[in-house]
Amino acid sequence: MTGERVLVAYGTQNGATAGIAEEIAATLTKDGLSAEVRSAADVDDLSPYDAVVLGGGLYAGRWQRDARRFTRRLKSPLREVPVWCFSSGPLDATAGQKEVPPTRAVRREMSRVGARGHTTFGGRLDPDPQGRLARSMAKRGMAHDWRDFDQIRSWAHTIAADLLKE
Ligand SMILES: Cc1cc2nc3c(=O)[nH]c(=O)nc-3n(C[C@H](O)[C@H](O)[C@H](O)COP(=O)(O)O)c2cc1C
């Protein structure tokens, strides 16, 4: 159905996941849906939305805290709408080469809300990131942007196609 209102919510520490969420929302909008991007921490009410895309940056195999809290706080309304999830993680080429399955912790978040699907996108480590561990990783030369925006747009098109045929 055209005009379905989709929330694209994200949990981020250093902004990479927010950038992916923006691209997903822009793609859904181009495909004829009405998409809104918000930090997962800022959303208390899902009544304006017909569907949700939720993404989290991966830290030690778990989503960043705002994304985890989102599934707990809004578990009941999330179970009433179609939900898709994504993780932003690997700091190498793997996410572009094969489908990286959700971690065990992310699978738990997905089953809590009855998510329909999941994908993993490459991550980005900022040269000057928040967090002691992140800074030491950046100092060791790991700062790089592994996000593939073609892959992100392709995944968003599949969600739009699913919603538009309902
Ligand atoms: C301390 C630390 C731990 C990380 N742990 C993982 C991990 O377990 N799995 C993974 O795929 N990526 C991991 N990453 C990479 C991040 O998930 C990646 O940088 C992500 O894009 C960050 O998203 P954000 O900028 O939205 O916070 C880790 C990065 C840092 C700095």
Side-chain angles (χ1 to χ4, degrees):
M1 199 199 336
T2 327
E4 292 239 336
R5 294 154 306 167
V6 186
L7 170 68
V8 185
Y10 60 84
T12 188
Q13 183 172 307
N14 277 297
T17 312
I20 293 171
E22 296 279 353
E23 193 65 30
I24 290 170
T27 305
L28 296 177
T29 302
K30 274 188 202 133
D31 286 351
L33 298 157
S34 166
E36 193 179 341
V37 196
R38 297 176 68 187
S39 163
D42 294 341
V43 181
D44 292 320
D45 177 14
L46 288 186
S47 61
Y49 307 108
D50 304 301
V52 174
V53 179
L54 171 64
L58 284 176
Y59 290 89
R62 299 197 305 168
W63 273 347
Q64 185 273 352
R65 189 177 56 183
D66 296 336
R68 297 198 315 263
R69 285 193 176 160
F70 185 84
T71 66
R72 274 171 216 137
R73 289 190 294 111
L74 296 168
K75 173 180 157 179
S76 300
L78 281 166
R79 295 190 76 93
E80 303 298 315
V81 293
V83 178
W84 285 267
C85 296
F86 68 91
S87 300
S88 149
L91 295 173
D92 58 27
T94 50
Q97 290 163 350
K98 59 177 169 84
E99 184 61 41
V100 176
T103 65
R104 198 149 61 138
V106 170
R107 282 203 307 274
R108 269 202 301 275
E109 308 291 346
M110 291 173 63
S111 63
R112 182 175 293 126
V113 300
R116 289 189 179 191
H118 173 275
T119 198
T120 303
F121 299 116
R124 179 192 66 188
L125 181 64
D126 217 64
D128 186 20
Q130 298 284 324
R132 191 177 49 80
L133 252 174
R135 277 196 298 278
S136 84
M137 287 161 68
K139 272 195 198 129
R140 279 186 276 131
M142 291 176 70
H144 185 76
D145 192 350
W146 292 96
R147 297 171 302 169
D148 177 341
F149 284 86
D150 285 336
Q151 185 191 4
I152 293 163
R153 285 188 285 272
S154 296
W155 187 70
H157 285 313
T158 66
I159 293 172
D162 266 13
L163 286 170
L164 291 166
K165 77 173 178 239
E166 277 178 13

